[in-house]
Amino acid sequence: MKRLLSGVGTRSALARVCAELIGDGAALTAGEAALLRTDGVPDEVNVDADLVATARELISAGGDPLGTLYCRIHSPDDRRPLGQTYTPGPIVEAMVRWAQAQGTPARIVDPGSGSGRYLLAAAAAFPGAEVVAVELDPLSALLVRANIAVSGLGHRATVHVGDYRDLVLPAITGTTLFLGNPPYVRHHGIAPEWKAWLTRTARARGLKASALAGLHVHFFLATAELGRPGDRGAFITSSEWLDVNYGSLVRELLLDGLGGESLHVIEPEVEPFDDATTTGAITTFTIGTRPEAMRVRRVGEVSALGDLTGGHLVDRSRLADTSRWSLLTRVVPDVPEGFVELGELCRVHRGAVTGSNATWVHARDGLSLPERVLFPSVTRARELFGAGERLDDTTGLRVVIDLPTDLDEFNDEERAGIDRFLRRARREGVHRGYIASRRRAWWSVGLRAPAPILATYMARRPPAFVRNPGGARHINIAHGLYPRQELGEDVLDALGDYLRTRVSLHQGRVYAGGLTKFEPKEMERIVVPGPELLRAGVIA
C-alpha cells in the first residue's frame, strides 16, 4: 500500500489505475471517459504495471486500496459537497450479517456506492444476487467498476452513474436488498429542484417534507419509492433525523411504508467515521410493512453492533407520539414517587434573538441612551458557567438595548439620543435584517422578564443552572426557567441545586464529538423533586 500511496497522488493517476484494472470493453459514461483522456496529461499519470498489480493484489485480498487512495487525494473538505464518507469495515460487516439473516435477495442496490465497500461485501455474501452500484461522481464510479472487475463480478453487476433519485429498477423475481451509506449533504448543498422533488414526492404519499432536510432524508424517500413489498434495507446515516423537525418524514416513513424494524444509535462520542465528524445510526427496514413495534438500542462502540438484533422493543404508539426518537434508544427508569418533570414546575424559554448583537449588545460605558432601556443581560454562555450557583451582581454584564415599541414616552432629550442611535442602525441596514423586519417595531428586541433560574443549553458539559436574584435578562444563548406557580426562594434554591448536580449530558440531544443541546421542551422533561420534596430539602 505504501508504494501505491507514493506512486498514485493525483486524480488522473488514480483514474489510470482504475482503467487498467477495468480493462477494455467497458461502457463508460462521458464523465468517466473524460477522466481517462491522455491528451496534454503529464507522463507521470501513465502508471506502471507494478502499481496496477499491487492494487489488484490488495483488492483480491479483500482490501480497498482505491478508496484509500481516493481519500488520500481528496481531503474531507474536498469530499464534503458530495457527502462522501467511507464506512469502516466493522460497520459494513455488521450490516451484511443482518442482511444474511433476512433471507437471500435476488438483487442488491448500493446507493452512493463510493468505491463499493457495501456492494463487494454483499456480493460475496450473496453469490447469486445481481448487484447495482449507484454513484454520482464519475471518478468514484471508476473505482467501483475497477473493484467489480477485479472481484469477477462483471457478469452480475451494473453501475448507474447518476443521481439515486433518478434510478429506475426493472422488475425482477425475488426481493431487493438496499444496503449502504447515503451521502451526507446538508440542505444548503441541495439544489432547489431536488428540494421540490422531495416535497412533491412526499405529498403524493400524504406526508410533509421540509426543505431543510439533508440528503439522507431524500435517500430514505427514494428507497421507499423504488422498493416493492418485501424488499429489505439497512442504511447508516447521521442520527439527526431522530429528533429534528425535518426528520419527521423519515420517522413517518418507517412507521408506514418503509417498515422500520430496528434502530441502532452509535454513541456520538464514538465518531464512527474516520473521515467525518458526524453521528451514526443504523436503520433496518422491510418495505411495505406497518410495524407494530421497532427494536431500538444505543451502543458505546462500533464493535458492539453485533448482528443488529439487540435492543428493546418500542411499540408503535410510543414511536408515533414522540418527536425525539433518540430518547427511545435509552431504557428510561420509572419516575420516583414525589418527583415530576421540570415542565410541571417551570416553563423553559430561550432568550430573545436580537438579530444583530453588534447593534443591540454593548458595554454600558459610553452609551448616550436612557438608563431605563439598558438591561444587564447574560449574552455569553461562559458568564453562566463562571457564575457558580448564583448571579447576584450584574455590574460585570453587558447590556441589551431594548426600546419600547412606542417611543413617544421619552422626553425630548432622551428621544434625541434614541433617534441618533436608530439613524446609525438604519444606515447599517439593521432594520432590514430578517429578525428586525419581522418585529412589531424593528427597534424593539423584546427581552423577557428576569428568570429566577438561568441555564446554558449547548456545551460539551452538563448545563449550568444559576439562580438569578440579580435580575439579569438573557438572550438566546441561554434558557430562562419561569415558575408556573409561586415558588418560594428556598424552593427555587433547592431546585437550582438539584439541577446543577443531577443533570447529565445524556439527557440532552448529543451531536458528534459530544456537543450536547437541550431544547426548551427537552429541558422541561428533566425529572426533578416535586415542591414538597424541595421544601423538605430532599435532593437524593
Side-chain angles (χ1 to χ4, degrees):
M1 190 67 213
K2 288 183 179 178
R3 189 165 186 276
L4 276 176
L5 290 172
S6 61
V8 182
T10 65
R11 286 172 55 86
S12 297
L14 179 56
R16 293 307 308 168
V17 171
C18 291
E20 293 296 327
L21 294 171
I22 294 167
D24 297 330
L28 304 181
T29 63
E32 293 171 286
L35 293 170
L36 301 178
R37 294 195 185 109
T38 57
D39 295 345
V41 176
D43 290 340
E44 57 262 28
V45 304
N46 295 317
V47 295
D48 62 52
D50 286 345
L51 286 176
V52 176
T54 299
R56 190 185 305 277
E57 290 172 8
L58 291 169
I59 294 169
S60 298
D64 182 24
L66 303 180
T68 300
L69 287 169
Y70 187 91
C71 292
R72 178 71 174 266
I73 294 167
H74 303 84
S75 70
D77 286 344
D78 295 332
R79 286 178 272 129
R80 187 168 294 119
L82 291 177
Q84 296 169 318
T85 57
Y86 276 66
T87 312
I91 294 177
V92 176
E93 292 161 12
M95 293 168 68
V96 171
R97 279 197 302 271
W98 169 85
Q100 288 177 295
Q102 313 307 311
T104 302
R107 176 170 58 197
I108 299 160
V109 177
D110 179 358
S113 62
S115 59
R117 291 183 178 181
Y118 281 99
L119 180 137
L120 296 176
F126 302 105
E130 172 191 342
V131 291
V132 181
V134 187
E135 178 53 59
L136 184 63
D137 174 40
L139 181 52
S140 295
L142 287 176
L143 304 186
V144 74
R145 286 191 198 275
N147 278 321
I148 286 170
V150 175
S151 302
L153 301 175
H155 64 289
R156 58 186 178 110
T158 303
V159 179
H160 173 80
V161 185
D163 197 292
Y164 181 59
R165 293 162 292 190
D166 277 335
L167 181 65
V168 176
L169 290 175
I172 60 168
T173 301
T175 61
T176 297
L177 170 66
F178 297 88
L179 193 70
N181 174 11
Y184 185 70
V185 178
R186 293 188 179 276
H187 74 92
H188 314 85
I190 299 175
E193 56 267 27
W194 283 119
K195 293 185 178 185
W197 172 89
L198 183 75
T199 55
R200 183 176 63 251
T201 306
R203 190 183 307 117
R205 290 176 159 266
L207 302 173
K208 292 182 179 180
S210 168
L212 301 179
L215 191 57
H216 56 292
V217 174
H218 292 232
F219 272 49
F220 274 112
L221 181 58
T223 302
E225 291 288 298
L226 284 167
R228 296 294 176 264
D231 291 348
R232 292 181 180 271
F235 286 162
I236 182 167
T237 66
S238 76
S239 63
E240 286 184 1
W241 64 265
L242 296 173
D243 297 330
V244 295
N245 290 336
Y246 74 68
S248 63
L249 176 57
V250 178
R251 299 192 293 269
E252 291 173 356
L253 282 171
L254 291 172
L255 291 178
D256 194 0
L258 201 53
E261 286 196 356
S262 66
L263 174 64
H264 311 265
V265 176
I266 303 169
E267 289 284 8
E269 300 83 19
V270 173
E271 296 187 14
F273 299 99
D274 297 331
D275 55 357
T277 302
T278 184
T279 53
I282 298 174
T283 309
T284 69
F285 49 89
T286 299
I287 295 173
T289 62
R290 194 170 183 271
E292 292 303 315
M294 282 182 65
R295 193 168 292 279
V296 303
R297 66 170 174 154
R298 184 175 291 260
V299 298
E301 52 188 20
V302 169
S303 61
L305 286 171
D307 55 5
L308 304 185
T309 57
H312 60 279
L313 286 173
V314 177
D315 64 57
R316 178 185 183 84
S317 61
R318 192 171 175 206
L319 290 162
D321 288 344
T322 182
S323 60
R324 277 204 65 205
W325 280 18
S326 67
L327 293 177
L328 304 179
T329 64
R330 301 183 184 278
V331 178
V332 180
D334 294 333
V335 176
E337 183 177 354
F339 281 61
V340 298
E341 289 190 347
L342 176 60
E344 293 187 34
L345 300 182
C346 300
R347 292 183 177 88
V348 178
H349 291 296
R350 182 178 287 125
V353 180
T354 70
S356 173
N357 284 0
T359 302
W360 307 110
V361 180
H362 292 274
R364 183 186 295 271
D365 296 342
L367 289 174
S368 55
L369 290 169
E371 185 67 22
R372 55 187 163 132
V373 304
L374 305 179
F375 295 88
S377 302
V378 172
T379 59
R380 302 181 182 99
R382 65 173 179 267
E383 292 167 348
L384 291 180
F385 283 121
E389 297 179 5
R390 301 172 66 85
L391 185 58
D392 293 297
D393 184 1
T394 65
T395 55
L397 297 177
R398 296 186 295 177
V399 297
V400 174
I401 300 166
D402 192 12
L403 298 165
T405 56
D406 184 1
L407 301 178
D408 290 339
E409 64 181 74
F410 296 99
N411 62 39
D412 291 345
E413 182 180 354
E414 291 173 328
R415 185 60 185 268
I418 291 170
D419 287 345
R420 283 194 300 272
F421 171 78
L422 293 181
R423 281 195 299 270
R424 183 168 62 252
R426 273 186 174 277
R427 286 196 300 271
E428 295 170 355
V430 174
H431 63 297
R432 293 193 297 269
Y434 180 85
I435 299 298
S437 64
R438 283 160 176 76
R439 292 177 181 140
R440 182 180 172 189
W442 70 266
W443 56 78
S444 185
V445 170
L447 291 172
R448 292 187 180 275
I453 299 175
L454 295 172
T456 60
Y457 65 84
M458 181 175 283
R460 288 184 172 82
R461 55 185 284 188
F465 292 92
V466 180
R467 286 281 284 116
N468 183 31
R473 308 299 177 99
H474 67 292
I475 61 173
N476 66 322
I477 55 83
H479 292 335
L481 279 59
Y482 294 87
R484 293 180 181 272
Q485 60 190 32
E486 185 175 351
L487 298 176
E489 293 296 306
D490 58 336
V491 173
L492 289 169
D493 287 344
L495 177 59
D497 289 342
Y498 184 87
L499 291 168
R500 193 177 308 111
T501 57
R502 297 298 193 275
V503 175
S504 62
L505 284 175
H506 82 265
Q507 292 169 277
R509 181 184 304 177
V510 187
Y511 294 87
L515 183 65
T516 303
K517 183 178 184 181
F518 286 77
E519 295 288 1
K521 292 299 181 185
E522 293 163 0
M523 194 167 279
E524 288 184 1
R525 284 193 285 268
I526 295 172
V527 175
V528 299
E532 294 303 318
L533 294 180
L534 291 170
R535 289 190 187 96
V538 176
I539 300 298

